[in-house]
């Protein structure tokens, strides 16, 4: 163990104990403290019974290292005792800073196209001149068969509708007015809920 590591350890050890008696019986506690006071007369102890740990504070790093080398994995009261150097953590800023952005991933697409990319030419629209010619020949009341029927399929026929202003000669003014008009469906009544 290097001396620099010892200086950073702040001169204390953490003892991990399997024996619970050191936390409840004063005679066992006195024996435990005597073990470490043989290395440093001014050693102080903090007992954390919920964690089954004891913090032992030493006056210098060399004494703490000697105690750790001598007593680590030794037998205390019939059970093994383990000793660890603990380092106190010094945080310069009281607020937690976000981690440094080591990896930044672009979510949006790149600003320029990739190398070698070329814009595709717009295709010429497909115009069916036969269909346009057939539609142009149609007049009101005429029909145009798009698909001839077979014994297993129906035929598809387009009927040209009359405009609202034109009508065949057989209808008089009253019959045109008697046609039902499609009324737009009204929006249902809506009452907003009261604000609380």
């Amino acid at each position: 163990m290097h001396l620099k590591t010892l200086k950073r350890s702040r001169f204390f050890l953490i003892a991990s104990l399997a024996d619970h008696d050191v936390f409840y019986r004063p005679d066992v506690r006195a024996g435990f403290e005597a073990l470490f006071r043989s290395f440093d007369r001014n050693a102080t102890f903090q007992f954390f019974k919920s964690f089954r740990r004891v913090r032992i504070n030493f006056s210098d790093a060399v004494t703490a290292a000697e105690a750790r080398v001598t007593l680590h994995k030794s037998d205390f009261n019939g059970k093994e005792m383990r000793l660890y150097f603990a380092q106190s953590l010094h945080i310069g800023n009281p607020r937690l800073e976000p981690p440094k952005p080591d990896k930044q991933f672009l979510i949006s697409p790149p600003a320029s196209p990739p190398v070698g990319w070329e814009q595709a030419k717009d295709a010429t629209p497909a115009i069916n001149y036969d269909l346009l010619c057939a539609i142009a020949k149609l007049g009101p009341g005429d029909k145009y068969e798009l698909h001839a029927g077979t014994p297993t399929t129906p035929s598809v026929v387009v009927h040209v509708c009359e405009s609202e202003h034109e009508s065949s000669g057989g209808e008089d003014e009253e019959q045109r007015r008697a046609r039902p008009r499609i009324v737009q469906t009204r929006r249902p009544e809506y009452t907003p809920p009261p604000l609380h």
Side-chain angles (χ1 to χ4, degrees):
M1 178 162 289
H2 298 292
L3 189 59
K4 288 181 183 177
T5 309
L6 290 175
K7 285 182 181 176
R8 272 188 267 131
S9 68
R10 302 282 175 162
F11 317 135
F12 63 86
L13 295 175
I14 300 291
S16 174
L17 301 168
D19 184 24
H20 299 280
D21 292 340
V22 75
F23 300 105
Y24 301 105
R25 292 179 41 201
D27 57 326
V28 177
R29 182 180 287 195
F32 177 80
E33 290 178 0
L35 276 174
F36 292 96
R37 288 220 168 96
S38 64
F39 294 95
D40 186 356
R41 199 180 311 169
N42 299 322
T44 58
F45 302 88
Q46 294 166 315
F47 293 87
F48 304 106
K49 64 181 174 183
S50 298
F51 300 105
R52 289 187 281 173
R53 303 283 189 270
V54 180
R55 176 178 166 163
I56 305 112
N57 303 299
F58 293 93
S59 55
D60 61 47
V62 176
T63 310
E66 286 175 5
R68 200 248 181 217
V69 168
T70 307
L71 299 175
H72 180 60
K73 291 192 175 183
S74 64
D75 186 54
F76 174 74
N77 207 23
K79 297 192 178 163
E80 185 181 62
M81 172 177 60
R82 295 177 179 233
L83 298 171
Y84 304 98
F85 284 107
Q87 295 182 3
S88 60
L89 181 64
H90 173 68
I91 300 174
N93 192 347
R95 295 185 190 95
L96 182 63
E97 296 293 328
K100 291 182 181 178
D102 294 332
K103 295 180 181 178
Q104 292 182 342
F105 298 101
L106 295 175
I107 296 172
S108 60
S112 59
V115 176
W117 180 85
E118 291 181 13
Q119 185 172 357
K121 304 278 190 221
D122 289 342
T124 308
I127 299 172
N128 189 338
Y129 291 104
D130 295 333
L131 180 62
L132 288 175
C133 182
I135 291 173
K137 289 179 185 176
L138 289 175
D142 292 342
K143 62 181 180 178
Y144 179 70
E145 188 174 22
L146 296 176
H147 180 70
T150 65
T152 57
T153 60
S155 62
V156 178
V157 179
V158 174
H159 294 269
V160 179
C161 297
E162 296 176 355
S163 67
E164 214 174 290
H165 302 293
E166 302 171 356
S167 65
S168 59
E171 286 185 348
D172 63 354
E173 203 61 38
E174 280 186 35
Q175 285 178 335
R176 266 191 278 152
R177 287 188 190 155
R179 283 187 196 162
R181 296 202 62 181
I182 298 173
V183 181
Q184 184 179 1
T185 306
R186 285 183 43 202
R187 191 176 105 180
E189 297 296 327
Y190 174 72
T191 309
L195 297 173
H196 295 291

